Amino acid sequence: MLDENWIPKCFTLGVYEMEERHTAANLASRMEKLFMNWNINEKVMAVVTDNATNIVNAIHLLQQITEKSGLTCAAHSLQLAVNKALVGDNIEKLLVKSGKIVSHFKHSNVAKYALQEKQEQLGLPTMSLLQSCKTRWNSSYLMLERLLQNRISVMNVLTDRRSTTTSVAESLEISEREWSLIEALVTLLKPLQMATTVLCGDNSSPTSMVRPVLQKALQNHMQIRNEDDIMIQNAKKIIANEITQRVDLTRTSNITARQIASMLDPRFKDLDHEPFEARFEIRAHVKHMLEAVAPSESTSSKVTTRNSALEFLYQQEINSNDIDTQ
């Protein structure tokens, strides 16, 4: 909701433990009770959820919800697309090896302090390596980015036999090709990390931003180039297909709430992120919605007449009072 200064505010209406099975019917029942407790049963028009099948189906069971599709969490959908792309080819093997390097520096005090020493010698900021976590968004990108930033320091420590044994160094060795792939993956994932950050902002991420942000991310950063490694090309294809399907970016006959919101947002009202033909349909749909809620000409005339009559009667009363007091 918006406060008196038009600043978006978020509130937690309830947190409940569900002892029953998390079926669509049970979830829908819980939400209906929550709406009734807050007396908003007739005011809830849409519900944003994650991509789990049970909660998505639960929304379809809510009779009062008018927008029953296309409002799954965009950031969650984006992360699912990224995770699927990172599983294919040799990318997963590279992530595992990178994770082992990070673990080595996390668990070995000798390696950790040696890394700090190398960073200071090279005039680099002292920073720890970051470990990835499947349940933490963008963690693979952050791990690879930090590893790439400290490439020279890490390699110096791994080749220094005072801090790293030969067997450990051999098991953690990264080839030049692998470093090149890490750099390419960082370049690939950076715009998606930025898009996730934008879409997760509490005060700056209305639903109107979803389609423009994701469309531009695909158009500007997921286009396949001739110089791309085959693994990067495949990853781009997977990410583009997954985002397009999960967020329904394809041309559809049904106008969605996100398209309407973009049309009403001054930043995206030109709809240049939408197919050319769709722009006319979205504008026509919004115009039809506004006409449906706008007072008709006959209603307006009635209101005007009623207001004039009240003014006339009120004035007559004043005149009468004036006469009585004279």
Side-chain angles (χ1 to χ4, degrees), residues 210-229:
V210 172
R211 293 178 68 86
V213 167
L214 294 182
Q215 287 280 25
K216 292 302 180 182
L218 296 184
Q219 292 174 10
N220 297 334
H221 303 284
M222 293 299 119
Q223 297 297 322
I224 296 176
R225 300 176 300 178
N226 294 331
E227 60 269 26
D228 286 337
D229 184 272

Side-chain angles (χ1 to χ4, degrees), residues 110-135:
V110 174
K112 180 174 67 175
Y113 290 118
L115 178 62
Q116 294 178 0
E117 182 181 351
K118 296 298 183 183
Q119 290 170 338
E120 292 173 357
Q121 291 175 355
L122 294 169
L124 299 174
T126 301
M127 59 180 74
S128 301
L129 300 182
L130 300 175
Q131 186 60 275
S132 65
C133 175
K134 289 185 178 180
T135 58

Side-chain angles (χ1 to χ4, degrees), residues 3 10 12 16 24 29 65 73 83 116 130 172 189 201 203 225 300 308 311:
D3 64 11
C10 297
T12 300
Y16 302 100
S29 176
I65 301 298
C73 174
N83 291 341
Q116 294 178 0
L130 300 175
L172 300 179
L189 297 176
N203 296 329
R225 300 176 300 178
S300 300
S308 299
E311 291 174 0

Side-chain angles (χ1 to χ4, degrees), residues 4-18:
E4 63 276 7
N5 296 318
W6 288 79
I7 298 177
K9 298 292 183 180
C10 297
F11 299 94
T12 300
L13 300 184
V15 179
Y16 302 100
E17 179 183 3
M18 286 190 63

Side-chain angles (χ1 to χ4, degrees), residues 63-306:
Q63 299 298 322
Q64 68 272 37
I65 301 298
T66 57
E67 183 67 32
K68 296 182 181 292
S69 62
L71 280 183
T72 53
C73 174
H76 184 234
S77 299
L78 178 55
Q79 291 304 306
L80 291 176
V82 171
N83 291 341
K84 188 167 184 177
L86 296 181
V87 173
D89 294 321
N90 294 318
I91 294 179
E92 191 170 15
K93 294 180 181 179
L94 184 59
L95 291 175
V96 170
K97 179 180 284 190
S98 300
K100 288 181 178 179
I101 293 176
V102 175
S103 295
H104 172 68
F105 283 92
K106 290 286 187 182
H107 295 103
S108 171
N109 283 331
V110 174
K112 180 174 67 175
Y113 290 118
L115 178 62
Q116 294 178 0
E117 182 181 351
K118 296 298 183 183
Q119 290 170 338
E120 292 173 357
Q121 291 175 355
L122 294 169
L124 299 174
T126 301
M127 59 180 74
S128 301
L129 300 182
L130 300 175
Q131 186 60 275
S132 65
C133 175
K134 289 185 178 180
T135 58
R136 193 169 71 244
W137 292 358
N138 298 312
S139 63
S140 294
Y141 162 74
L142 295 174
M143 177 184 69
L144 295 177
E145 181 191 43
R146 182 62 60 85
L147 192 60
L148 188 62
Q149 290 171 343
N150 291 275
R151 173 181 176 177
I152 297 177
S153 301
V154 168
M155 292 180 65
N156 285 346
V157 173
L158 294 180
T159 56
D160 189 343
R161 292 297 167 262
R162 294 173 299 176
S163 54
T164 309
T165 64
T166 302
S167 59
V168 171
E170 290 177 351
S171 65
L172 300 179
E173 182 181 5
I174 295 184
S175 66
E176 284 297 323
R177 169 172 165 72
E178 289 173 326
W179 279 115
S180 297
L181 287 176
I182 289 176
E183 185 175 2
L185 282 172
V186 169
T187 301
L188 171 70
L189 297 176
K190 183 176 181 178
L192 303 178
Q193 184 269 340
M194 296 179 68
T196 303
T197 302
V198 169
L199 295 175
C200 288
D202 287 340
N203 296 329
S204 60
S205 58
T207 190
S208 61
M209 297 180 66
V210 172
R211 293 178 68 86
V213 167
L214 294 182
Q215 287 280 25
K216 292 302 180 182
L218 296 184
Q219 292 174 10
N220 297 334
H221 303 284
M222 293 299 119
Q223 297 297 322
I224 296 176
R225 300 176 300 178
N226 294 331
E227 60 269 26
D228 286 337
D229 184 272
I230 185 64
M231 286 197 302
I232 300 300
Q233 291 183 13
N234 291 336
K236 285 184 175 181
K237 290 179 182 178
I238 293 173
I239 291 172
N241 290 335
E242 286 291 312
I243 292 177
T244 299
Q245 294 177 12
R246 291 183 179 278
V247 190
D248 193 20
L249 294 180
T250 55
R251 176 81 168 84
T252 59
S253 57
N254 296 325
I255 305 301
T256 66
R258 283 174 174 157
Q259 290 173 312
I260 296 171
S262 295
M263 167 66 190
L264 297 175
D265 191 322
R267 296 170 296 179
F268 313 117
K269 64 180 181 180
D270 292 337
L271 300 175
D272 60 350
H273 58 278
E274 295 286 351
F276 187 77
E277 300 82 4
R279 300 173 194 175
F280 295 96
E281 294 189 15
I282 296 171
R283 293 188 180 107
H285 185 81
V286 172
K287 182 179 179 181
H288 176 73
M289 292 177 62
L290 294 175
E291 290 174 346
V293 298
S296 63
E297 184 176 349
S298 58
T299 304
S300 300
S301 61
K302 289 181 180 179
V303 172
T304 302
T305 303
R306 184 161 54 249

